[in-house]
Amino acid sequence: MDMKIYKAEEYGIVPGKHCESELRDFLNSLDGDEEKVIEFKKGDYPLDTSKFPDCMLYITNTAGDGEYSAGETPHKSRSPLYFDGIKNLTVEGNGARFLIWGQATNAVIAECENIKIKDIEICPVDPNMHELKVISKGLFYVDYELDSQSEYEISNGKVWFCGSDYRYNAAHRAKTARYIPCVQVENTDRVMRTLHPLAGCIKIKEISERKIRAFCLSTARFKIGDRYYIYDDRRQYAGIFVRDSKNVVLERVKQSFNYSLAFVAQNTENITLEGVEFAPDKTSGRLIASLADFVQICMCRGKVKILNSRFEGAGDDCLNVHGFHFKITHIDGDRITVKFMHPQSHGFNPLRAGDELAFIDPKTLLECGRAKIIASHLVDEYSIELTIDDALSAKIGNMIEDINACPDLLFSGNTVERIITRGLLITTRGKTVVENNHFKSCSMSGILISDDAASWYESGLCRDVTIKDNLFDYCGENGVLIKPENTVHAGAVHKNITVTGNTFKKCEKACFSIKSSSDITLSGNLIKDAPEKLKQSNCENIITDF
């Protein structure tokens, strides 16, 4: 097959020039099944998101309908790098740096096949993420220094952060926000969730350029040198969003910031991230790069490989791999209707004809039958109608899990640092291998193997997991937590998990905590500092060499 090479500069896309319309028209013109290569020149490409058309993006684990204000259109977004329906494409970035002005989903890969993106960097300019560093305090005041890149103004005793398309009150939800990232002065490798730094603040005044004084009744919780991060926590956008695609590869792609999840893939088959770097821009001085998870893999298939990459400074998990528990709401013969249950995930149909379903008891999280999908139809944003070959095991109120939408996972050779929750959250039936990684700091557990049908509704049963030869420097809770969220124990939920050859330097809770699981091997692990080695309940056949 012939290969077509496109040089971006020949289409008016050159470094140092605003080329929004040229880029949009060029990407929209790509079609055909032939092998294609886009070559960019090294340099900075400024892109103003206001010059790109609106689009509707139903991105899992982002803002739900109820989070939008009156007059807003839920899920309306925009993206300066939009790859739509393209096959057999390689993007050779050659060090191209895309400077994104305005809030947006940085890149979208929709209904594409065999697409590889290499050697690019995506840098949102003046994002709505701001650092307040404690520089001094008294009995009834705290002095903060604002980061060098945030533009601000003070009006009526309030601090407003200002960007190209936002004006954000620094004290927004200060009374209720308990998710604010704080990097403590005694260990800048760690980030913890805490109260808003302006909670209880009576008034604010500017004491010099980029320095403010917040008056409050108590300052006991503040330490000089601590850094707090303020942002709009509504997950309206994402970094790179992949949907309904096949064979997607990112190599040496960098992102310095995103407005929720750095990389999201849903209903996609075969994904490789190699040599990617999701980390703060070192020139900014900030220590946080993502408002939520770095990588979210949802209802995907085939193989997911994340290799030799760096993840630094996340406002949620480094990686979350999961399916969905859909609730059965209606049964009519061989037709059943199932529903998305979490308000932040809906609006797409990952259930395919030919897939095998497991019927799941939401209390025990165990299977109570299987069936095959004959036909699948998205009724509305929240409901999917399925025709199945056998509805005898279907019961209204129970769940279904698509066991074909459970990818294999290889997470190898990566560095994970300054993660506010878990390093990895794994709930997939596929073969999972986590090896040779450095988990420098996770403020909750290093690895959580979950499964639930009552809160996030993220499935499912894990049946083949190997965690080996990793270094865990610090885990704010457990090193490895195996905790299905069943409310009734009727047998093992997770099985066949091996944890071997790992080093756990510091765990604040038991190194291993396990419930409702069986056939677990814990061998050859070095545990240096933990209050206890193993905590377990309702488990069978745990082999240890402690």
Side-chain angles (χ1 to χ4, degrees):
M1 184 180 292
D2 293 335
M3 178 179 292
K4 175 71 173 179
I5 297 178
Y6 298 91
K7 294 186 180 295
E9 60 185 308
E10 295 178 357
Y11 295 83
I13 308 166
V14 295
K17 172 191 172 185
H18 276 274
C19 49
E20 291 86 357
S21 61
E22 292 88 347
L23 178 63
R24 183 181 66 246
D25 293 345
F26 172 60
L27 294 180
N28 287 340
S29 72
L30 296 173
D31 57 14
D33 292 343
E34 78 278 4
E35 297 281 346
K36 298 177 280 292
V37 178
I38 302 173
E39 294 182 352
F40 287 92
K41 278 190 170 182
K42 183 177 182 178
D44 290 349
Y45 294 79
L47 298 174
D48 182 347
T49 61
S50 68
K51 297 182 180 179
F52 290 89
D54 292 332
C55 53
M56 298 297 291
L57 298 178
Y58 292 87
I59 307 175
T60 186
N61 292 72
T62 57
D65 289 348
E67 297 179 62
Y68 290 85
S69 301
E72 290 185 304
T73 302
H75 314 293
K76 186 169 75 173
S77 187
R78 63 185 82 155
S79 178
L81 297 167
Y82 202 117
F83 301 88
D84 188 9
I86 302 173
K87 291 185 177 181
N88 305 319
L89 172 67
T90 297
V91 177
E92 295 279 4
N94 298 308
R97 194 166 72 137
F98 296 97
L99 305 180
I100 311 296
W101 295 83
Q103 300 177 96
T105 294
N106 297 334
V108 174
I109 299 171
E111 300 182 43
C112 292
E113 186 172 340
N114 303 327
I115 184 165
K116 178 185 291 187
I117 300 177
K118 302 166 57 179
D119 299 302
I120 70 167
E121 184 172 357
I122 300 175
C123 301
V125 177
D126 190 22
N128 191 6
M129 156 70 82
H130 313 281
E131 179 187 280
L132 274 65
K133 181 179 180 180
V134 180
I135 55 175
S136 65
K137 70 174 189 175
L139 190 59
F140 297 113
Y141 70 86
V142 181
D143 291 342
Y144 297 103
E145 182 176 26
L146 310 183
D147 66 89
S148 62
Q149 296 193 350
S150 291
E151 297 296 328
Y152 70 98
E153 62 184 52
I154 296 180
S155 175
N156 296 323
K158 296 180 180 180
V159 177
W160 297 85
F161 292 112
C162 306
S164 57
D165 59 356
Y166 66 84
R167 187 172 183 267
Y168 186 72
N169 181 359
H172 178 65
R173 292 175 60 180
K175 293 181 180 180
T176 58
R178 286 166 171 76
Y179 52 81
I180 297 297
C182 177
V183 178
Q184 298 175 331
V185 64
E186 60 264 28
N187 193 328
T188 57
D189 286 339
R190 301 178 193 170
V191 58
M192 311 293 289
R193 281 178 172 166
T194 189
L195 297 174
H196 197 290
L198 300 180
C201 175
I202 299 169
K203 67 175 181 177
I204 295 172
K205 74 173 185 178
E206 187 174 33
I207 54 177
S208 63
E209 186 177 0
R210 298 200 171 275
K211 293 181 175 63
I212 63 171
R213 175 165 292 175
F215 294 91
C216 47
L217 296 178
S218 174
T219 64
R221 68 185 177 102
F222 300 103
K223 296 189 297 292
I224 295 173
D226 284 356
R227 305 184 194 187
Y228 294 86
Y229 289 88
I230 293 177
Y231 52 85
D232 183 354
D233 67 321
R234 185 172 74 172
R235 299 178 175 185
Q236 186 174 357
Y237 306 102
I240 299 169
F241 174 45
V242 182
R243 69 165 181 86
D244 309 315
S245 295
K246 184 176 181 179
N247 304 333
V248 175
V249 178
L250 302 187
E251 291 183 0
R252 297 178 298 279
V253 171
K254 297 181 179 181
Q255 283 192 104
S256 60
F257 179 80
N258 65 274
Y259 280 102
S260 69
L261 309 155
F263 177 89
V264 188
Q266 69 188 35
N267 196 29
T268 289
E269 181 175 353
N270 299 333
I271 301 156
T272 300
L273 308 183
E274 184 164 9
V276 306
E277 182 176 309
F278 298 163
D281 177 4
K282 289 180 172 54
T283 65
S284 72
R286 299 187 183 110
L287 299 176
I288 302 295
S290 181
L291 302 190
D293 303 0
F294 274 133
V295 180
Q296 180 96 200
I297 305 294
C298 172
M299 297 297 296
C300 289
R301 302 159 188 262
K303 297 185 182 299
V304 175
K305 300 177 183 179
I306 303 174
L307 311 170
N308 307 315
S309 297
R310 180 173 185 82
F311 302 100
E312 179 185 334
D316 212 320
D317 306 321
C318 176
L319 167 67
N320 186 355
V321 181
H322 65 91
F324 280 135
H325 281 128
F326 294 86
K327 179 178 282 189
I328 300 172
T329 59
H330 183 74
I331 302 172
D332 181 10
D334 62 356
R335 290 183 299 167
I336 65 173
T337 302
V338 298
K339 182 180 178 182
F340 285 96
M341 293 305 298
H342 195 278
Q344 291 186 336
S345 298
H346 58 92
F348 64 102
N349 185 3
L351 308 176
R352 304 179 186 179
D355 286 357
E356 190 170 11
L357 298 181
F359 296 102
I360 303 293
D361 183 317
K363 294 180 179 179
T364 67
L365 295 180
L366 299 180
E367 288 190 22
C368 48
R370 290 197 178 185
K372 183 168 288 188
I373 299 176
I374 305 302
S376 177
H377 169 63
L378 187 67
V379 177
D380 53 40
E381 286 187 22
Y382 289 91
S383 297
I384 301 172
E385 184 181 85
L386 303 174
T387 303
I388 58 178
D389 67 346
D390 184 356
L392 290 178
S393 299
K395 178 181 177 182
I396 291 176
N398 276 6
M399 304 291 172
I400 61 108
E401 179 189 8
D402 188 329
I403 67 174
N404 294 103
C406 300
D408 293 342
L409 170 66
L410 174 60
F411 189 85
S412 177
N414 305 294
T415 299
V416 176
E417 179 178 359
R418 207 178 300 116
I419 306 301
I420 206 167
T421 52
R422 287 75 46 134
L424 309 183
L425 175 50
I426 298 169
T427 33
T428 177
R429 294 176 186 244
K431 179 179 178 61
T432 294
V433 178
V434 179
E435 63 181 6
N436 299 313
N437 303 287
H438 187 183
F439 294 88
K440 296 184 70 175
S441 174
C442 304
S443 295
M444 292 184 182
S445 296
I447 296 175
L448 167 60
I449 296 175
S450 186
D451 191 19
D452 87 270
S455 55
W456 286 92
Y457 298 88
E458 293 179 354
S459 67
L461 313 181
C462 290
R463 287 293 183 261
D464 185 353
V465 179
T466 300
I467 300 167
K468 65 178 183 179
D469 301 328
N470 301 285
L471 172 59
F472 296 82
D473 279 346
Y474 177 79
C475 300
E477 294 182 356
N478 309 105
V480 175
L481 174 60
I482 303 173
K483 187 183 179 183
E485 301 292 336
N486 54 322
T487 57
V488 174
H489 176 78
V493 177
H494 298 309
K495 299 179 180 180
N496 302 321
I497 299 172
T498 298
V499 186
T500 182
N502 303 281
T503 297
F504 297 89
K505 287 188 174 181
K506 173 70 174 177
C507 299
E508 296 290 353
K509 296 183 178 180
C511 187
F512 303 106
S513 181
I514 307 172
K515 73 181 284 276
S516 297
S517 299
S518 69
D519 304 307
I520 311 294
T521 299
L522 311 174
S523 66
N525 299 291
L526 178 60
I527 304 171
K528 293 188 175 182
D529 186 1
E532 57 182 316
K533 293 180 179 179
L534 172 62
K535 181 179 180 180
Q536 61 170 300
S537 64
N538 293 323
C539 292
E540 298 177 2
N541 194 26
I542 296 183
I543 300 172
T544 70
D545 62 359
F546 299 149

